[in-house]
Amino acid sequence: MLVSTKGRYALRIMIDLAEHRSEGYIPLKETARRQDISEKYLEGILKILVRNKLLAGLRGKGGGYRLTRPPEDYPIGDILRLTELSLAPVACLEEGQPSCPRISECRTLSMWQGLDKVIRDYLDHITLADLIGQAEPGDDYVI
């Protein structure tokens, strides 16, 4: 499994919006500037997230994008599945794929299924809330 730029940028966008959620609707231009992502590329990712109701969009003055629910209600796996279409480690485990003709003699199938489960379980147990506001290493001191 290799997470594409689209998946990585979607996570950055969602984290950015989560960290600025108290500001209401965040203009596309602000998120693009903070994350150093082209506005055009960002528009495509935002369309996917809005269409799937992870974000709400508002046009016009005072418009922009915002989360539709609290950050703890966004499993990272859900975000990546929308942008990557699959998190399966091998093609035969991707949803909607025809059954492999070698499945009955495949000696690696159970290994791939186990890896697929580990990936899904791991990414589905991390939320946006887990990722926002994390201090940089070494910034955990108190004066």
Side-chain angles (χ1 to χ4, degrees), residues 17-135:
L17 293 173
E19 288 177 334
H20 293 90
R21 67 190 176 280
S22 65
E23 300 169 29
Y25 285 92
I26 307 297
L28 170 101
K29 187 176 279 191
E30 284 183 28
T31 304
R33 179 184 48 76
R34 278 194 299 261
Q35 294 303 316
D36 195 25
I37 301 171
S38 107
E39 288 182 39
K40 188 74 172 164
Y41 194 71
L42 187 56
E43 283 175 357
I45 297 170
L46 288 168
K47 282 181 186 177
I48 294 168
L49 299 172
V50 169
R51 183 176 43 235
N52 288 280
K53 300 187 180 5
L54 272 68
L55 297 177
L58 183 65
R59 295 178 191 254
K61 186 173 166 102
Y65 297 88
R66 67 169 177 78
L67 301 180
T68 57
R69 51 190 195 250
E72 57 272 10
D73 291 345
Y74 287 93
I76 297 305
D78 287 357
I79 299 166
L80 289 175
R81 274 187 285 278
L82 286 176
T83 56
E84 299 302 309
L85 303 180
S86 173
L87 297 175
V90 290
C92 65
L93 294 179
E94 291 179 356
E95 199 170 306
Q97 287 293 316
S99 184
C100 176
R102 297 183 43 86
I103 199 163
S104 62
E105 65 240 16
C106 182
R107 298 192 183 205
T108 60
L109 180 61
S110 64
M111 176 191 68
W112 295 126
Q113 289 170 328
L115 179 58
D116 186 50
K117 182 178 180 345
V118 167
I119 291 168
R120 282 184 285 112
D121 288 349
Y122 181 76
L123 293 174
D124 288 341
H125 286 91
I126 299 172
T127 67
L128 277 182
D130 296 322
L131 300 179
I132 61 174
Q134 291 182 347

